[in-house]
Structure formats: structure tokens, C-alpha cells
Amino acid sequence: QVQLVESGGGLVQPGGSLRLSCAASRSTFSLNFMGWYRQAPGKERELVAIITSSGHTNYADSMKGRFTIPRDNAKNTVYLQMNSLKPEDTAIYYCNVEFGVVQYWGQGTQVTVSS
């Protein structure tokens, strides 16, 4: 099993920045990938960004150039650095990892972009 602990959500003004953290109970190298999804009210959960065990990254089109997904292997932690935030980025953000053939989800952290 993999336990995930998320942190870093909150309220931020449009144009601001926020960094989310997701600490895993297993080495990042043992995980096929680590990633972030988000779910806004009334909408389906959508992919934000992922990073594979080899370091390859992939971003949703609307996040490219604004979000990055750095990883600290020594801390078994993946981050989501969000810049130039917009009100439409308001959502609950979930960490997601795959270990073997099983996917695990974090508890979710609320991000609200509002003036």
C-alpha cells in the first residue's frame, strides 16, 4: 500500500502562486508515476500533471506554461507549483500515484482563486 499526505492548498488572488505537496510512504522510484488531478464543483475530475518514475512529465493543455510538477526523491514528495492562477483553477486538487497495478489517491486539498 501507499499512503499519501497532501498539503498546501488555500485561498489565493488571481495571478498569484501556490505550491501543493504530496508526500508518499514509498520511494518515488517504486511508483510508476505521481500526479495531480483536480475536480471543480459540478465537473468531472481531470488530469493536471503527472511525472513518471523516469522523470518524464505531462501536463494538461490549460496548465502548460503555468504549472510545473517538480519532485524531491529524497523526501518521496511531489509538488505542484501553480503560477498565474485563474478563478477557473478553483477546485479540489488530488494527488494520485500508481504502485504496481494499483492507483492511490490523496485526501484532496482545496484551492480557491478569488479576489
Side-chain angles (χ1 to χ4, degrees), residues 70-86:
R71 182 179 64 189
D72 187 333
N73 296 323
K75 295 181 178 180
N76 297 337
T77 298
V78 67
Y79 304 94
L80 183 66
Q81 178 65 46
M82 303 182 289
N83 301 322
S84 302
L85 283 162
K86 306 173 182 180

Side-chain angles (χ1 to χ4, degrees), residues 50-108:
I50 63 169
I51 181 168
T52 68
S53 57
S54 61
H56 176 76
T57 58
N58 190 32
Y59 298 90
D61 287 342
S62 61
M63 287 71 159
K64 288 180 181 177
R66 299 191 300 125
F67 293 7
T68 59
I69 186 168
R71 182 179 64 189
D72 187 333
N73 296 323
K75 295 181 178 180
N76 297 337
T77 298
V78 67
Y79 304 94
L80 183 66
Q81 178 65 46
M82 303 182 289
N83 301 322
S84 302
L85 283 162
K86 306 173 182 180
E88 51 263 42
D89 294 317
T90 295
I92 299 175
Y93 285 71
Y94 296 91
C95 180
N96 173 249
V97 305
E98 184 176 89
F99 177 66
V101 295
V102 180
Q103 292 197 25
Y104 297 87
W105 293 89
Q107 78 277 14

Side-chain angles (χ1 to χ4, degrees), residues 9-59:
L11 173 65
V12 62
Q13 292 186 343
S17 298
L18 208 59
R19 189 178 80 160
L20 307 182
S21 300
C22 174
S25 60
R26 288 187 176 270
S27 166
T28 56
F29 296 114
S30 70
L31 305 172
N32 297 330
F33 65 79
M34 302 180 79
W36 293 92
Y37 283 72
R38 71 184 187 185
Q39 188 166 18
K43 295 187 177 181
E44 293 186 354
R45 192 171 296 190
E46 64 174 348
L47 172 70
V48 176
I50 63 169
I51 181 168
T52 68
S53 57
S54 61
H56 176 76
T57 58
N58 190 32
Y59 298 90

